[in-house]
Amino acid sequence: MQFLNSFLFNHLRFQIAATVVLIVVEALYFMRPRIKILSTRIFNCVLVSAAVYLLFDYATVFSLVYFDSFPLWLVKLLHQGFILGFEGTFLFIYVFLDVTTHNQQRLSVFEKFFLLLITLFSLIAIFCFDIFYYISEDAVYSYGPMVNLVYVLITILTLSTIIKAIIASRNVETRRVSSYVLFAMGLWIIFGLTQLFLPQILFSSVSISTMLLLLVISLGNPSERMDKESGAFNHEALKLVIADKLNRAKPFFIVNLDMEDISKLRRQFGDQAVIMMLSEIRSFVEKQFCKNVYKINNHAFTVIFDEHDKEKMDYYLQVLEDRFHEKWNLNETTKIHLNAHIDFIRFPQDTPFLKKGMQNSSSQLLEFIEMCHTYSDDAEFIHRVDSKLLQKRDRQDLVYKLLQNAIRSDGVEMYYQPIYSIEEKRFTNCEALVRLKDTTTLGFVSPEEFIPVAERNFLIMPLSQCIFEKVFEFVSSYKLSELGLKHVEVNLSAIESVDLTFPSLMKGLLEKHKLEPSMVNLEITESIAVSSGRKLKRNMEDLINHGCSFSMDDFGTGYSNLSQITRADFSIIKIDKSLLWPIFEKKNPNRTNAKILLENMVSMILQMGLKIVVEGVETKEQFEYLEKLGVTYIQGYYFSKPINSQDYLRFLERYNR
Ligand code: C2E
Ligand code: CA
Ligand code: CA
């Protein structure tokens, strides 16, 4: 009895150590926020198998110590449970590695077959083969065909896992998980061999627990999948969940809550207030629907619903709509109505563009969720996907491809629209406007359509480079300054105007084409000027110091933040046609007011010492009226539409000589 008790202690201290490690691992794992994807479910299986293993390990130790008091069938049954847990743990580690490193994809047929065979043999070994026990003073051994076969199977599994991990570790994205798995397997081999040669040290349970600890660490810091500000899961997490859902190929629903005013509110009330409001919204959604909330971008939360939520979807959407009719807290004193809408997408009905089995379909779907609001012109709170929206999406896809080709193969052409100086009575300036050469498949594609597509798809900088190269090459090689051109105006998009590499790109190109910086005037729309902060200011200062000048484009549309024009960095204000045309609409009851507005605006801007271009001048009547008002420049169809470079040369030679 004495020896048995010391044996019991000898064995149990490893058990206890293993239990402590396992409890820590499981607590670590289950306390953290988790997303519901295939690899999470498999990982749960790993943990459950290991727990089963450990539980039965305790039981087998007792059964062996008190061997005489237990019926043999019970001892064997406990052993069978123990080995089942052991085998299961390795099996699930293998599957876990596979699923995690294959973007949540289900196992391949070959892999399924392989695991099925292993499982089958394991079950045969466990339930049909014999096991024997040998009790000595310092240890208890189990042996026999069952034990031997199980060890062979586990060795096969270990080796396969190692091979799989080595292959996966070549890929940067899957390197972390695979190296931890490799590490865990290495550890297991060391423990296993030690056990083989020193059978009295029974620490296979310690080795399993330590392996699990390594695996939990391999999952990374849970905060890597969280958005710190709102407490929601981040884009990365959403990408995994979407990949998982697509792989399952069962219907699901996406609710994307787009909060339109977020960046405006940040500027107005500060980050802290917006963060507080976002986490209030996040926790409302979480509580209402008991679902994880994902922050897909700076202004939208995404929630995913399953097939079984189908009946309740309309109700859920209504709950959200009702809540958004009420106010949200920005801080202790301020409550606001938030401008928001929902994009509601059903998979698969609303996503015919996702081809089955396509590798990048999850990124495509994510992109679609983010872009949905730009395709729809629905004023309702709930935007549902319809055929019109899908057609728009397809067209943007085509425009994107066209643009990509154009940039690659010199398919971009510049047109020029002359700008008339009233004082000098000739065309001293012009505006460069971009065109796509070949649009046979789509018909004419306006820059108003393809510039936003370029901006969204990271094509704007290459496109911009093309534009500037062409314009500078033209102006410099034809010596347009000798034909009376004082400057060419080039439009800047929102993204390039705040790109901090832009000034050096400009300077390099000016140098390359030996062009005076004063020959270049950059147009920035009023809305960009209002919404872009310090980066724009820095870029403008840099280029103004270099000798370029700036125009504020489309003045009078949208924002109309009058204080913007007092900024010293603009030398020209371009008044949009929407301020001019109403004055000449015969039936317009507000004509007089429109006149008062334009006339006062013009006088105010002139008094500030700025120059004015009025755009969209189409008739003699409009021209004469503006001439009398004293505006500086006129641009519009009255003189010329935008024309290609050769026509523009002829135009200058004819009218500026
Ligand atoms: P925008 O800068 O306001 O350009 C003026 C637009 O008004 C041009 O359209 C021009 O063809 C049109 N326009 C000029 N005079 C008249 C007129 O008398 N009547 C009427 N109805 N329209 C007139 P376009 O060329 O289609 O360009 C549209 C917009 O696309 C531009 O508006 C600008 O925002 C953008 N864009 C054009 N080229 C470029 C470019 O090279 N880079 C960037 N970033 N944006 C560009
Ligand atoms: Ca412009
Ligand atoms: Ca304009």
Side-chain angles (χ1 to χ4, degrees), residues 580-597:
L580 175 72
W581 288 0
I583 300 175
F584 295 88
E585 285 162 12
K586 298 278 176 294
K587 286 189 190 129
N588 181 359
N590 300 320
R591 272 175 74 189
T592 327
N593 284 351
K595 231 172 136 192
I596 294 173
L597 185 69

Side-chain angles (χ1 to χ4, degrees), residues 412-568:
V412 173
E413 189 174 359
M414 294 314 293
Y415 272 46
Y416 299 88
Q417 187 173 31
I419 299 176
Y420 182 77
S421 159
I422 288 182
E423 196 185 335
E424 299 196 28
K425 299 206 168 13
R426 55 194 210 143
F427 298 89
T428 56
N429 310 337
C430 70
E431 176 170 2
L433 294 153
V434 63
R435 301 287 181 258
L436 288 180
K437 266 188 216 162
D438 175 32
T439 51
T440 38
T441 43
L442 286 174
F444 175 74
V445 183
S446 154
E448 269 164 324
E449 183 177 2
F450 68 75
I451 296 281
V453 174
E455 287 197 309
R456 282 198 294 272
N457 294 288
F458 307 103
L459 288 179
I460 197 70
M461 289 314 275
L463 175 66
S464 164
Q465 183 145 2
C466 275
I467 290 174
F468 281 108
E469 282 276 4
K470 289 221 144 85
V471 173
F472 289 4
E473 161 76 29
F474 175 59
V475 175
S476 124
S477 60
Y478 287 91
K479 299 198 171 61
L480 293 192
S481 54
E482 290 174 14
L483 287 172
L485 185 77
K486 296 227 165 114
H487 74 226
V488 52
E489 295 172 13
V490 192
N491 294 282
L492 279 194
S493 79
I495 290 184
E496 57 187 329
S497 62
V498 293
D499 187 318
L500 291 177
T501 63
F502 177 69
S504 52
L505 173 82
M506 277 294 290
K507 289 180 205 166
L509 288 176
L510 283 168
E511 175 118 358
K512 177 177 167 193
H513 295 282
K514 308 217 168 1
L515 206 63
E516 279 296 313
S518 63
M519 285 297 286
V520 180
N521 176 286
L522 298 165
E523 293 190 8
I524 292 180
T525 63
E526 185 196 4
S527 57
I528 297 173
V530 172
S531 60
S532 317
R534 262 182 325 177
K535 282 187 190 158
L536 173 66
K537 205 170 156 51
R538 249 172 74 182
N539 278 353
M540 286 180 75
E541 272 169 12
D542 192 346
L543 287 169
I544 289 171
N545 287 336
H546 194 66
C548 301
S549 62
F550 282 84
S551 293
M552 183 184 282
D553 199 4
D554 296 350
F555 184 75
T557 60
Y559 279 86
S560 273
N561 186 337
L562 278 180
S563 66
Q564 279 299 318
I565 54 171
T566 62
R567 281 174 52 169

